[in-house]
Amino acid sequence: MQMDENLVDHYAEILYDYHFLKHPLQKADAIFVLGSHDPSVADYAVQLFQEGWAKYIIFSGGVIRPIGELRNITPKSEANAFFDIAVEAGVPAEAIILDNKATNTGENFSCTRKILQEKGFDFKNFILVQKPYMVRRTYATALVQFAEFSFISVAAPDTYDDYIAKCSENNISKERVISNMTGDLQRLKVYPEKGFLVAMDIPEEVWAAYEKLIELGFVGRMAN
């Protein structure tokens, strides 16, 4: 199918703006970074740490990323790759807590909770950090999986165009980003009935944009 790139961007930006909740920053016990293929997530966590929003960073992610992803020259887990990015940027290693077991968003929360209990950390407040288009699903999942804590869900304050450009610099294609966004919207629709996350209202305009993108073939990350 011949694609009109301007139209694709129009629909994709509608999804992006919906996914990207805008919680105001507030100080917390820890910056909790959920695993990702996008190294700019770690960059933003480092920025928040260096600005003094929390004294600890948690990197959670056991998925092994291949050479070339997450700026790695060897295959490495998301958590370990993010650790390297943070330490190279000047974050003290002793301020970082690692979870190398989680393989999905729910496990980010359950595995991290277990590690904090084992290490004796009595954290109550968290800044959850993810990609802009995963902010809403992260928050909706935390409302179920991390309900005993206080938290906000944030990402670097990029516009859609800025984020696509940043992804390109990190060898992440626009097609991959858009397919991830449609996949996340599908999860927001179907996961509440599975008990994975809290239901979110999805405006008609957003769902219509999603359906247009599905018709155009952006289906690379649909849940089973």
Side-chain angles (χ1 to χ4, degrees), residues 5-97:
E5 286 297 322
N6 290 331
L7 199 56
V8 168
D9 287 333
H10 170 70
Y11 295 136
E13 188 170 6
I14 290 172
L15 263 64
Y16 182 90
D17 290 343
Y18 170 74
H19 283 307
F20 196 176
L21 292 175
K22 300 297 196 300
H23 289 160
L25 283 169
Q26 56 191 41
K27 287 199 171 184
D29 297 316
I31 298 161
F32 180 178
V33 186
L34 286 76
S36 172
H37 65 272
D38 181 356
S40 72
V41 176
D43 294 335
Y44 187 56
V46 169
Q47 178 185 328
L48 294 177
F49 178 86
Q50 293 175 338
E51 290 175 353
W53 292 101
K55 294 182 178 180
Y56 290 90
I57 299 179
I58 302 163
F59 290 128
S60 172
V63 175
I64 304 298
R65 295 293 176 179
I67 294 171
E69 285 205 354
L70 297 178
R71 303 171 190 156
N72 294 330
I73 58 173
T74 58
K76 195 167 291 187
S77 74
E78 295 165 335
N80 282 337
F82 281 9
F83 175 88
D84 289 349
I85 290 170
V87 170
E88 185 175 348
V91 176
E94 59 269 22
I96 301 173
I97 300 165

Side-chain angles (χ1 to χ4, degrees), residues 160-180:
Y160 169 76
D161 288 336
D162 289 342
Y163 184 70
I164 293 297
K166 182 183 290 184
C167 284
S168 179
E169 292 172 2
N170 286 312
N171 298 313
I172 302 168
S173 70
K174 180 167 72 172
E175 291 72 22
R176 183 175 183 180
V177 172
I178 296 174
S179 284
N180 285 350

Side-chain angles (χ1 to χ4, degrees), residues 35-214:
S36 172
H37 65 272
D38 181 356
S40 72
V41 176
D43 294 335
Y44 187 56
V46 169
Q47 178 185 328
L48 294 177
F49 178 86
Q50 293 175 338
E51 290 175 353
W53 292 101
K55 294 182 178 180
Y56 290 90
I57 299 179
I58 302 163
F59 290 128
S60 172
V63 175
I64 304 298
R65 295 293 176 179
I67 294 171
E69 285 205 354
L70 297 178
R71 303 171 190 156
N72 294 330
I73 58 173
T74 58
K76 195 167 291 187
S77 74
E78 295 165 335
N80 282 337
F82 281 9
F83 175 88
D84 289 349
I85 290 170
V87 170
E88 185 175 348
V91 176
E94 59 269 22
I96 301 173
I97 300 165
L98 295 179
D99 156 39
N100 275 299
K101 294 184 178 180
T103 60
N104 58 52
T105 305
E107 289 182 357
N108 287 137
F109 292 109
S110 60
C111 292
T112 294
R113 180 190 292 105
K114 183 178 180 181
I115 288 171
L116 294 179
Q117 290 171 345
E118 290 173 348
K119 293 182 176 295
F121 288 105
D122 188 27
F123 296 156
K124 304 294 185 185
N125 304 288
F126 297 86
I127 299 171
L128 309 178
V129 181
Q130 249 291 2
K131 302 177 289 292
Y133 63 80
M134 262 199 81
V135 170
R136 185 180 292 272
R137 184 159 76 87
T138 296
Y139 181 66
T141 304
L143 289 172
V144 172
Q145 308 290 346
F146 231 47
E148 69 268 38
F149 301 111
S150 296
F151 48 81
I152 57 171
S153 185
V154 303
D158 296 320
T159 65
Y160 169 76
D161 288 336
D162 289 342
Y163 184 70
I164 293 297
K166 182 183 290 184
C167 284
S168 179
E169 292 172 2
N170 286 312
N171 298 313
I172 302 168
S173 70
K174 180 167 72 172
E175 291 72 22
R176 183 175 183 180
V177 172
I178 296 174
S179 284
N180 285 350
M181 286 198 292
T182 58
D184 266 31
L185 196 69
Q186 182 219 22
R187 284 163 173 77
L188 284 172
K189 186 78 167 180
V190 303
Y191 275 5
E193 65 188 30
K194 299 177 183 290
F196 295 168
L197 50 77
V198 168
M200 297 272 118
D201 178 59
I202 302 175
E204 291 182 6
E205 178 192 28
V206 173
W207 193 253
Y210 162 86
E211 290 181 328
K212 291 292 186 182
L213 291 169
I214 294 298

